[in-house]
Amino acid sequence: MQCRLFFIMTLAVFIVIMDGCTAPTDVDAERKRTVINAPPDILRFADLPSVINFGGVRQFTAKDMPFETGNLSGNETVTITSIALKNGNLGFSLGIINLPIQLSPNSIPVDIFPVRFEASNSGTFSDTIILNKSEKYYVPLYATVRRLSVKTSDADFKGVKIGLEKNIDIIVENLDSVPVTIEGFGNDDAEFAFYLAPITSKTLQPGQSTSYKVTFTPSKAKTYNAVIRFTVNGATDDIDNEAILTGSGIVP
């Protein structure tokens, strides 16, 4: 009787243990699926830039930098299937990218797409380019923007018939917290196609702006370029004192 009872109890304990365990085949199957679904390490030979540093960028302007990469492998092809910004809302943007990108063995770094930074606000900015959706392969981006005290507009006169004239107002704005004074200007136009009449000294209070009329009169059927530089005193930070002028003379 005691032997029979001992056998029954032993069998019950064995059943409980077996019921609470996971079969070894289940574990192996799960591990196998993980290996099959994992993306291959195809970027291990990519010659990626360590950093893309835009340096100092003038506020309210944009700057482009190339993204260059090559293949350090002597016999394997590197394939880039995905390129994206980690954040994407900090002033950086990526140009046109044709995916997938395949880099032949022993290829030197080449420009595969442009990276742009638009300096809307002052400060220090950073983001990260992630390749193939893996943070193992990344390129950090950096840019610094100093506050602009004075902002000057540009002027594109487009096409103007030879002998005729077109006027555009150049705006100079004081973004500083103190008054600034416009003392004069210089015009580097050697062909005298762009004309700005002499000006007198003028002080702009914080937030104030003024305008100056520039006249474009082409004498030939060609493209004209010039820069008018205003002399500005009193600014506490960087200044944009240049008006970039462009225009084309066209046959009547």
Side-chain angles (χ1 to χ4, degrees), residues 57-62 119 146-155 170-176 180 182 184 204 210 212 227-233 235-245:
V57 183
R58 176 178 285 177
Q59 192 177 6
F60 307 116
T61 65
R146 290 188 61 184
R147 185 174 67 89
L148 200 62
S149 287
V150 175
K151 180 182 178 183
T152 302
S153 66
D154 301 323
I170 300 300
I171 309 297
V172 181
E173 183 179 4
N174 180 11
L175 305 176
D176 211 327
V180 299
I182 303 172
L204 301 178
T210 188
Y212 298 99
V227 177
I228 290 179
R229 296 179 179 85
F230 293 94
T231 302
V232 180
N233 295 325
T236 60
D237 278 297
D238 287 354
I239 63 170
D240 170 18
N241 64 334
E242 296 182 343
I244 309 300
L245 310 178

